[in-house]
Coordinates of all heavy atoms in Angstrom, one line a residue:
M1 N 100.8 -101.0 270.9 CA 100.8 -99.7 270.1 C 101.1 -100.0 268.7 O 102.2 -100.6 268.5 CB 101.7 -98.7 270.7 CG 101.2 -98.0 272.0 SD 102.4 -96.9 272.6 CE 103.3 -97.9 273.8
S2 N 100.4 -99.5 267.8 CA 100.6 -99.8 266.4 C 101.5 -98.7 265.8 O 102.3 -99.0 264.8 CB 99.4 -99.9 265.6 OG 98.7 -98.7 265.7
E3 N 101.6 -97.5 266.3 CA 102.3 -96.4 265.6 C 103.1 -95.6 266.7 O 102.5 -95.3 267.8 CB 101.3 -95.4 265.0 CG 100.6 -96.0 263.8 CD 99.7 -94.9 263.2 OE1 100.1 -93.8 263.1 OE2 98.6 -95.3 262.9
E4 N 104.3 -95.3 266.4 CA 105.1 -94.5 267.3 C 104.9 -93.0 267.1 O 105.1 -92.1 267.9 CB 106.6 -94.8 267.1 CG 107.1 -96.1 267.6 CD 108.6 -96.3 267.4 OE1 109.3 -95.3 267.4 OE2 108.9 -97.4 267.1
F5 N 104.6 -92.6 265.8 CA 104.4 -91.2 265.5 C 103.3 -91.0 264.4 O 102.8 -92.0 263.8 CB 105.7 -90.6 265.0 CG 106.1 -91.1 263.7 CD1 105.8 -90.5 262.4 CD2 107.0 -92.2 263.6 CE1 106.2 -91.0 261.2 CE2 107.4 -92.7 262.4 CZ 107.0 -92.1 261.2
S6 N 102.9 -89.8 264.3 CA 101.8 -89.4 263.3 C 102.3 -88.1 262.7 O 102.8 -87.3 263.3 CB 100.4 -89.2 263.9 OG 99.6 -88.8 263.0
I7 N 102.1 -88.0 261.3 CA 102.5 -86.8 260.6 C 101.2 -86.0 260.2 O 100.3 -86.6 259.7 CB 103.2 -87.1 259.3 CG1 104.6 -87.9 259.6 CG2 103.5 -86.0 258.4 CD1 105.7 -86.9 260.0
H8 N 101.3 -84.7 260.4 CA 100.1 -83.8 260.1 C 100.7 -82.6 259.3 O 101.8 -82.2 259.6 CB 99.4 -83.4 261.3 CG 99.0 -84.4 262.2 ND1 97.9 -85.2 262.0 CD2 99.6 -84.9 263.3 CE1 97.7 -86.1 263.0 NE2 98.8 -85.9 263.8
V9 N 99.8 -82.0 258.5 CA 100.2 -80.7 257.9 C 99.3 -79.6 258.5 O 98.1 -79.8 258.7 CB 99.9 -80.7 256.4 CG1 100.2 -79.4 255.7 CG2 100.8 -81.8 255.7
R10 N 99.9 -78.6 258.9 CA 99.2 -77.4 259.4 C 99.5 -76.2 258.6 O 100.6 -75.9 258.1 CB 99.7 -77.1 260.9 CG 99.2 -78.1 261.8 CD 99.6 -77.5 263.3 NE 99.2 -78.6 264.3 CZ 99.6 -78.5 265.5 NH1 100.4 -77.5 265.9 NH2 99.3 -79.4 266.4
A11 N 98.6 -75.3 258.3 CA 98.7 -74.1 257.7 C 98.9 -73.0 258.6 O 98.1 -72.9 259.6 CB 97.6 -73.8 256.6
S12 N 99.8 -72.0 258.4 CA 99.9 -70.9 259.2 C 98.8 -69.8 258.8 O 98.2 -70.0 257.8 CB 101.3 -70.3 259.1 OG 101.5 -69.6 257.8
K13 N 98.8 -68.7 259.5 CA 97.8 -67.7 259.1 C 98.2 -67.1 257.7 O 97.3 -66.6 257.1 CB 97.9 -66.6 260.2 CG 97.3 -67.0 261.5 CD 97.3 -65.9 262.5 CE 96.7 -66.4 263.8 NZ 96.8 -65.4 264.9
K14 N 99.4 -67.2 257.3 CA 99.8 -66.7 256.1 C 99.7 -67.8 254.9 O 100.1 -67.5 253.8 CB 101.4 -66.2 256.1 CG 101.5 -65.0 257.0 CD 102.9 -64.5 257.1 CE 103.1 -63.4 257.9 NZ 104.5 -62.9 257.9
G15 N 99.2 -68.9 255.4 CA 99.0 -70.0 254.3 C 100.1 -70.9 254.1 O 100.0 -71.8 253.2
V16 N 101.2 -70.7 254.8 CA 102.4 -71.6 254.7 C 102.1 -73.0 255.3 O 101.7 -73.0 256.5 CB 103.7 -71.0 255.3 CG1 104.8 -72.0 255.2 CG2 103.9 -69.7 254.7
R17 N 102.2 -74.1 254.6 CA 101.9 -75.4 255.1 C 103.1 -76.1 255.6 O 104.1 -76.2 254.8 CB 101.1 -76.2 254.1 CG 99.8 -75.6 253.7 CD 99.2 -76.2 252.5 NE 99.2 -77.7 252.5 CZ 98.3 -78.5 252.9 NH1 97.2 -78.1 253.4 NH2 98.5 -79.9 252.8
T18 N 103.1 -76.6 256.8 CA 104.4 -77.2 257.4 C 103.9 -78.6 258.1 O 102.9 -78.6 258.6 CB 104.9 -76.3 258.5 OG1 105.2 -75.0 258.0 CG2 106.2 -76.8 259.1
Y19 N 104.9 -79.5 257.9 CA 104.6 -80.8 258.5 C 105.0 -80.8 260.0 O 105.9 -80.2 260.4 CB 105.5 -81.8 257.9 CG 105.0 -82.3 256.5 CD1 105.4 -81.8 255.3 CD2 104.0 -83.3 256.4 CE1 104.9 -82.2 254.1 CE2 103.5 -83.7 255.2 CZ 103.9 -83.2 254.0 OH 103.5 -83.6 252.9
Y20 N 104.1 -81.4 260.8 CA 104.2 -81.6 262.2 C 104.2 -83.0 262.6 O 103.5 -83.8 261.8 CB 103.1 -80.8 263.0 CG 103.3 -79.3 263.1 CD1 103.1 -78.5 262.0 CD2 103.8 -78.8 264.3 CE1 103.3 -77.1 262.1 CE2 103.9 -77.4 264.4 CZ 103.7 -76.6 263.3 OH 104.0 -75.3 263.4
A21 N 104.8 -83.4 263.6 CA 104.9 -84.8 264.0 C 104.3 -84.8 265.5 O 104.6 -84.1 266.2 CB 106.2 -85.4 263.9
Q22 N 103.6 -85.9 265.7 CA 103.2 -86.2 267.1 C 103.7 -87.6 267.5 O 103.8 -88.5 266.7 CB 101.6 -86.3 267.2 CG 101.1 -84.9 267.4 CD 99.5 -85.0 267.7 OE1 98.8 -85.5 266.8 NE2 99.1 -84.7 268.9
F23 N 104.2 -87.7 268.7 CA 104.8 -88.9 269.2 C 104.0 -89.5 270.3 O 103.4 -88.8 271.1 CB 106.3 -88.7 269.7 CG 107.1 -88.1 268.7 CD1 107.2 -86.7 268.5 CD2 107.8 -88.9 267.7 CE1 108.0 -86.2 267.5 CE2 108.6 -88.4 266.7 CZ 108.7 -87.0 266.6
R24 N 103.9 -90.8 270.3 CA 103.2 -91.5 271.3 C 104.1 -91.7 272.6 O 105.2 -92.1 272.4 CB 102.7 -93.0 270.9 CG 101.3 -93.1 270.9 CD 100.9 -94.6 270.6 NE 100.0 -94.6 269.5 CZ 98.7 -94.5 269.6 NH1 98.1 -94.2 270.7 NH2 97.9 -94.5 268.5
G25 N 103.4 -91.4 273.7 CA 104.2 -91.6 274.9 C 104.1 -93.0 275.5 O 103.4 -93.8 274.9
P26 N 104.8 -93.3 276.6 CA 104.7 -94.6 277.1 C 103.4 -95.1 277.6 O 103.1 -96.3 277.6 CB 105.7 -94.6 278.3 CG 106.2 -93.2 278.4 CD 105.7 -92.4 277.3
D27 N 102.5 -94.1 277.9 CA 101.2 -94.5 278.4 C 100.2 -94.6 277.2 O 99.0 -94.9 277.4 CB 100.7 -93.4 279.3 CG 100.6 -91.9 278.7 OD1 101.0 -91.9 277.5 OD2 100.3 -91.0 279.3
G28 N 100.7 -94.4 276.0 CA 99.8 -94.6 274.8 C 99.2 -93.4 274.3 O 98.5 -93.3 273.3
D29 N 99.3 -92.3 275.1 CA 98.7 -91.0 274.7 C 99.6 -90.2 273.7 O 100.8 -90.3 273.8 CB 98.4 -90.1 275.9 CG 97.3 -90.6 276.8 OD1 96.5 -91.5 276.3 OD2 97.3 -90.2 278.0
W30 N 98.9 -89.4 272.8 CA 99.7 -88.7 271.9 C 100.2 -87.4 272.6 O 99.5 -86.8 273.3 CB 98.8 -88.2 270.7 CG 98.5 -89.3 269.8 CD1 97.3 -90.0 269.7 CD2 99.3 -90.0 268.8 NE1 97.3 -91.0 268.8 CE2 98.6 -91.0 268.3 CE3 100.6 -89.8 268.5 CZ2 99.1 -91.8 267.3 CZ3 101.1 -90.6 267.5 CH2 100.4 -91.6 266.8
G31 N 101.4 -87.0 272.3 CA 102.0 -85.8 272.9 C 101.7 -84.6 272.0 O 101.0 -84.7 271.0
T32 N 102.2 -83.4 272.4 CA 102.0 -82.2 271.7 C 102.8 -82.3 270.3 O 103.9 -82.8 270.3 CB 102.5 -81.0 272.5 OG1 101.9 -81.0 273.7 CG2 102.4 -79.7 271.8
A33 N 102.2 -81.8 269.3 CA 102.8 -81.8 268.0 C 104.1 -80.9 268.0 O 104.1 -79.9 268.6 CB 101.9 -81.3 266.9
K34 N 105.1 -81.4 267.2 CA 106.4 -80.7 267.1 C 106.6 -80.5 265.6 O 106.4 -81.3 264.7 CB 107.5 -81.6 267.6 CG 108.8 -81.0 267.4 CD 109.9 -81.6 268.3 CE 111.3 -81.0 268.1 NZ 111.3 -79.7 268.4
S35 N 107.0 -79.2 265.2 CA 107.2 -78.9 263.8 C 108.5 -79.6 263.4 O 109.5 -79.7 264.0 CB 107.4 -77.4 263.7 OG 107.9 -77.1 262.4
T36 N 108.4 -80.1 262.1 CA 109.6 -80.7 261.5 C 110.4 -79.7 260.8 O 111.5 -79.9 260.4 CB 109.2 -81.8 260.4 OG1 108.5 -81.2 259.4 CG2 108.3 -82.9 261.1
G37 N 109.8 -78.5 260.5 CA 110.5 -77.6 259.8 C 110.4 -77.7 258.2 O 110.9 -77.0 257.4
I38 N 109.7 -78.8 257.8 CA 109.7 -79.2 256.4 C 108.3 -78.6 255.9 O 107.3 -78.9 256.4 CB 109.6 -80.7 256.2 CG1 110.8 -81.4 256.9 CG2 109.5 -81.1 254.7 CD1 112.1 -81.2 256.3
R39 N 108.4 -77.8 254.8 CA 107.3 -77.2 254.2 C 106.6 -78.1 253.2 O 107.3 -78.8 252.5 CB 107.7 -75.9 253.5 CG 108.5 -75.0 254.3 CD 107.6 -73.7 254.6 NE 108.5 -72.6 255.2 CZ 108.4 -72.2 256.3 NH1 107.4 -72.7 257.1 NH2 109.1 -71.3 256.8
D40 N 105.3 -78.1 253.2 CA 104.6 -78.8 252.2 C 104.4 -78.0 250.9 O 103.5 -77.1 251.0 CB 103.2 -79.3 252.7 CG 102.4 -80.1 251.8 OD1 102.9 -80.6 250.8 OD2 101.2 -80.2 251.9
K41 N 105.1 -78.4 249.9 CA 104.9 -77.5 248.6 C 104.2 -78.4 247.5 O 104.3 -78.1 246.4 CB 106.4 -77.2 248.2 CG 107.1 -76.3 249.1 CD 108.5 -76.0 248.6 CE 109.3 -75.2 249.7 NZ 110.6 -75.1 249.4
G42 N 103.5 -79.5 248.0 CA 102.8 -80.3 247.1 C 103.6 -81.4 246.4 O 103.1 -82.0 245.5
R43 N 104.8 -81.6 246.8 CA 105.6 -82.6 246.3 C 105.6 -83.9 247.1 O 105.6 -83.8 248.3 CB 107.1 -82.2 246.1 CG 107.2 -80.9 245.2 CD 108.6 -80.5 245.2 NE 109.0 -80.1 246.5 CZ 110.1 -79.4 246.8 NH1 110.9 -79.1 245.9 NH2 110.4 -79.1 248.0
K44 N 105.6 -85.0 246.5 CA 105.7 -86.3 247.3 C 107.0 -86.3 248.1 O 106.9 -86.8 249.3 CB 105.7 -87.5 246.3 CG 105.6 -88.8 247.0 CD 105.5 -89.9 246.0 CE 105.5 -91.3 246.6 NZ 105.4 -92.4 245.6
R45 N 108.1 -85.7 247.7 CA 109.3 -85.7 248.4 C 109.2 -85.0 249.7 O 109.9 -85.2 250.7 CB 110.4 -85.1 247.5 CG 111.8 -85.2 248.1 CD 112.8 -84.6 247.2 NE 112.9 -83.1 247.9 CZ 113.4 -82.2 247.2 NH1 113.7 -82.3 245.9 NH2 113.6 -81.1 247.9
D46 N 108.3 -84.0 249.8 CA 108.1 -83.2 251.0 C 107.7 -84.1 252.2 O 108.3 -84.0 253.3 CB 107.1 -82.0 250.9 CG 107.5 -81.0 249.8 OD1 108.7 -80.9 249.6 OD2 106.6 -80.5 249.2
R47 N 106.7 -84.9 252.0 CA 106.2 -85.9 253.0 C 107.4 -86.9 253.3 O 107.6 -87.2 254.5 CB 105.0 -86.6 252.6 CG 104.5 -87.6 253.6 CD 103.1 -88.1 253.3 NE 102.5 -89.0 254.3 CZ 102.0 -88.7 255.4 NH1 101.8 -87.4 255.7 NH2 101.6 -89.6 256.3
Q48 N 108.1 -87.4 252.3 CA 109.2 -88.3 252.6 C 110.3 -87.7 253.4 O 110.8 -88.3 254.3 CB 109.7 -88.8 251.2 CG 108.8 -89.7 250.5 CD 109.2 -90.0 249.1 OE1 110.0 -89.3 248.5 NE2 108.6 -91.0 248.5
D49 N 110.6 -86.4 253.2 CA 111.5 -85.7 253.9 C 111.1 -85.5 255.3 O 111.9 -85.6 256.3 CB 111.8 -84.3 253.3 CG 112.6 -84.4 252.0 OD1 113.1 -85.4 251.7 OD2 112.7 -83.3 251.3
A50 N 109.8 -85.2 255.6 CA 109.3 -85.1 256.9 C 109.4 -86.4 257.7 O 109.7 -86.4 258.8 CB 107.8 -84.6 256.9
I51 N 109.1 -87.5 257.0 CA 109.2 -88.8 257.7 C 110.7 -89.2 258.0 O 111.0 -89.7 259.1 CB 108.5 -89.9 256.8 CG1 107.0 -89.7 256.8 CG2 108.9 -91.4 257.3 CD1 106.3 -90.6 255.7
A52 N 111.5 -88.8 257.1 CA 113.0 -89.0 257.4 C 113.4 -88.2 258.6 O 114.2 -88.6 259.5 CB 113.8 -88.7 256.1
W53 N 112.9 -86.9 258.7 CA 113.2 -86.1 259.9 C 112.7 -86.8 261.1 O 113.5 -86.7 262.1 CB 112.6 -84.7 259.7 CG 112.9 -83.8 260.8 CD1 113.9 -82.9 260.8 CD2 112.2 -83.7 262.0 NE1 113.8 -82.2 262.0 CE2 112.8 -82.7 262.8 CE3 111.0 -84.3 262.6 CZ2 112.4 -82.3 264.0 CZ3 110.7 -83.9 263.8 CH2 111.4 -83.0 264.5
V54 N 111.5 -87.3 261.1 CA 111.0 -88.0 262.3 C 111.8 -89.2 262.7 O 112.1 -89.3 263.9 CB 109.5 -88.4 262.0 CG1 109.0 -89.2 263.2 CG2 108.6 -87.1 261.9
Q55 N 112.2 -89.9 261.7 CA 113.0 -91.1 262.0 C 114.3 -90.8 262.6 O 114.8 -91.4 263.6 CB 113.3 -91.9 260.7 CG 112.1 -92.7 260.2 CD 111.5 -93.7 261.2 OE1 112.2 -94.2 262.0 NE2 110.3 -94.1 261.0
H56 N 114.9 -89.7 262.1 CA 116.2 -89.2 262.6 C 116.0 -88.7 264.0 O 116.8 -89.0 264.9 CB 116.8 -88.1 261.8 CG 118.0 -87.5 262.2 ND1 119.2 -88.1 262.3 CD2 118.3 -86.3 262.9 CE1 120.2 -87.4 262.8 NE2 119.6 -86.2 263.2
Y57 N 114.9 -88.0 264.3 CA 114.5 -87.5 265.6 C 114.4 -88.6 266.6 O 114.9 -88.6 267.7 CB 113.3 -86.5 265.5 CG 112.9 -85.8 266.8 CD1 113.7 -84.7 267.2 CD2 111.9 -86.2 267.5 CE1 113.4 -84.0 268.2 CE2 111.5 -85.5 268.6 CZ 112.3 -84.4 269.0 OH 111.9 -83.7 270.1
L58 N 113.7 -89.7 266.2 CA 113.5 -90.8 267.1 C 114.8 -91.5 267.4 O 115.1 -91.9 268.5 CB 112.5 -91.8 266.4 CG 111.0 -91.4 266.4 CD1 110.3 -92.4 265.5 CD2 110.5 -91.5 267.8
D59 N 115.6 -91.7 266.4 CA 117.0 -92.4 266.5 C 117.8 -91.6 267.4 O 118.7 -92.1 268.1 CB 117.6 -92.6 265.2 CG 116.9 -93.6 264.3 OD1 116.0 -94.3 264.8 OD2 117.1 -93.5 263.1
S60 N 117.7 -90.2 267.5 CA 118.6 -89.4 268.2 C 118.2 -89.5 269.8 O 119.0 -89.1 270.7 CB 118.5 -88.0 267.9 OG 117.2 -87.4 268.2
G61 N 117.0 -90.0 270.1 CA 116.6 -90.1 271.5 C 116.1 -88.8 272.1 O 116.0 -88.8 273.3
Q62 N 115.8 -87.8 271.3 CA 115.5 -86.5 271.8 C 113.9 -86.4 272.1 O 113.5 -85.4 272.7 CB 115.8 -85.4 270.8 CG 117.3 -85.3 270.5 CD 117.4 -84.2 269.5 OE1 116.7 -83.1 269.5 NE2 118.4 -84.4 268.6
V63 N 113.2 -87.4 271.9 CA 111.7 -87.3 272.0 C 111.3 -87.1 273.4 O 111.8 -87.9 274.3 CB 111.0 -88.5 271.4 CG1 109.5 -88.4 271.6 CG2 111.4 -88.7 270.0
V64 N 110.6 -86.1 273.7 CA 110.2 -85.7 275.1 C 108.8 -86.3 275.2 O 107.9 -86.0 274.4 CB 110.2 -84.2 275.3 CG1 109.7 -83.9 276.7 CG2 111.5 -83.6 275.1
T65 N 108.6 -87.1 276.3 CA 107.2 -87.7 276.5 C 106.5 -86.9 277.5 O 107.0 -86.3 278.4 CB 107.4 -89.1 276.9 OG1 108.2 -89.3 278.0 CG2 107.9 -90.0 275.8

């Protein structure tokens, strides 16, 4: 497997863009996307914050497969 996670931006019905993460399970399939709670306001820092959230989430061992 080349990637443990993937980052996506989704827009709500009200147009609020939020970063979501998907994690790869042990079988190699992608799991359901989980919200990072980080809003995309068009700044480079927003994506970096979302990636930092994902890394912290992975390090905590909370990822549900």
Side-chain angles (χ1 to χ4, degrees):
M1 284 178 265
S2 60
E3 298 179 39
E4 291 183 31
F5 67 91
S6 179
I7 296 279
H8 307 279
V9 176
R10 289 187 185 167
S12 70
K13 290 180 182 178
K14 294 182 179 181
V16 177
R17 294 170 45 94
T18 305
Y19 281 97
Y20 281 76
Q22 276 187 293
F23 301 94
R24 237 188 239 278
D27 59 0
D29 290 340
W30 290 103
T32 303
K34 177 168 180 58
S35 174
T36 65
I38 308 287
R39 306 248 194 245
D40 178 19
K41 299 176 184 171
R43 302 175 299 192
K44 185 176 181 179
R45 190 182 96 204
D46 298 333
R47 183 171 177 82
Q48 292 168 342
D49 288 347
I51 290 171
W53 182 93
V54 170
Q55 289 296 338
H56 177 73
Y57 188 72
L58 286 170
D59 291 345
S60 72
Q62 298 180 36
V63 179
V64 178
T65 56

